[in-house]
Amino acid sequence: MYKNDGRIFADIHDLWWENEALPSLSSFELSRRGLMAGTAAAATLPTVADAASPAPSDPAHTAKVAVEVNGKPEQLVLDTRTTLLDALREHLHLTGTKKGCDHGQCGACTVIVDGRRINSCLTLAVMHQGAKVTTIEGLGTPDHLHPMQAAFVKHDGYQCGYCTPGQICSAVAVLGEIEAGIPSHVTEDLTGPIRATNMEMRERMSGNICRCGAYSNIAEAMAEVAGEKA
Amino acid sequence: MRAFSYERATSAKEAAAKAAATPGAKFIAGGTNLLDLMKIEVETPTHLIDVNGLGFDRIEPTGDGGLRIGALVRNTDLAADTRVRRDYALLSRALVAGASGQLRNKATTAGNLLQRTRCPYFYDTNQPCNKRHPGSGCAAIGGFSRGLGVVGVSDACIATHPSDMAVAMRALDAAVETVKADGSTRAIPIAQLHTLPGATPHIETSLEKGEVITAVTLPKPIGGTHIYHKVRDRASYAFALVSVGAVVHKDGSGRVAVGGIAPKPWRVESAEAEMPQGAKAVAAGLLAGAAPTRENAFKLTLVERTLGAVIAQARS
């Protein structure tokens, strides 16, 4: 009920920024990400980076990795413990990818690596030398939404939005998996063609949990992009 | 997560030798189970050997008409392979019944076999667990044991092996090819890969220190109707309470392996002779010597009924 409604931003603006002049809030230039970063800094709270990624000190526990993220080559020197998720969020500051359970159970951290969707929380960044990573930031931009992003907006495929980047990355990959003929638990004929039915999409999206329960709308968004009736 | 050093292995032989010679070393492939356990410090390796670059990522025909599946073949790719879907449908079905799409894209064939139990007391480091801390006791016996083992268990441990894929591999008579630390190779029948807990539940396989799985082989196809029936608390993305993997032939004979009830994929060849007589007779042989808890005794009935459903489906 809050999304696409300027009031929530205006309310938070009043609360946190009342002594500062901010230009054109009504045009949504202040993103939630910017707001969170700004408020954390303003309140001199420790940043998430301090907690999630201890500075690499011991060379024996540090490794280099080169990855391409959303088309951009990146060179990182990381504590070997750094998951791909933490590398994306805390080192490359791509905070679209979300940390939910951090144990591969919720799917909020889903990104696409070398064309495959994976849980970025359950893999080490250093294991991805030379990999091509696509995050939600690489799928589309606010001005040029990926068709799946546009379909999620159109079909109300979210409420709070926290699981949404993972849902969208997963949804994009799911349609690719169906097109590639990869079977699922509900595929009746293992040797025949696979259609993007509602049941197929529900089964294949079971690794992405949505606490708000937007599942049926997510399936409708996927059906629209797949060109099938949900 | 505890700190660890990291290297990328370049040959199986060297990786095996290094792992055997380095205290605290572990292999990492998909990492979906190992990292989960490292985060809660149930696993605390001090050195990780990344085997992803070893190239064991192909599925090839063997000389005797079977398939050799590279240890690093991802679960998704194995389930989707056209030969597997046609000739070993049970394996495809078991794979897609497990985990989520994201996890299957990462998880490997060898890693799937070597994954640890999901017993909640193994995960809870505040509880005694003979698998995690040998000699500390078993909190599962007398605890929340609904999902745990009923057969092959011991007074020291009632954990189950969680894999769906391994159930199919067991029914299909797979073998595991390895390289040992001294460079020698061997093939282990899957029936002998996983060990029963007895008094040493921390020992889970017959692999030697440093021994690397390089492939899993399947004998030539045996035909028949392939069915994997998994019973769980929700329709997707949950471990089995009971799963039945079966190959049933037209004359009613066949093979059965069961998941969710034992420390290893559970198959009793002598019980399979009863297949034409129906589920009750087979289940009696499969579950002989079962030692359920009050909370999981329902699994005995569930095995028989799931097997009955599988046999009925095969006949229809």
Side-chain angles (χ1 to χ4, degrees), chain A residues 80 103-104 116 121 187 206, chain B residues 4 36 39 77 93 236-237:
Chain A
T80 52
H103 285 277
R116 293 286 181 93
C121 76
T187 305
S206 70
Chain B
F4 56 86
D36 188 27
K39 288 182 183 194
D77 296 313
R93 288 290 183 201
S236 182
Y237 199 17

Side-chain angles (χ1 to χ4, degrees), chain B residues 150-152 170 242-245 255-259 261-262 265-272 274-275 278-290 300 303-304 307:
Chain B
V150 296
V151 67
R170 179 70 180 88
V242 163
S243 66
V244 170
R255 300 177 182 185
V256 178
V258 183
I261 62 164
W266 197 250
R267 181 177 173 199
V268 178
E269 274 84 343
S270 60
E272 290 171 1
E274 306 292 330
M275 284 280 282
K280 196 177 178 68
V282 181
L286 273 169
L287 301 170
L300 304 180
V303 168
E304 185 185 321
L307 183 55

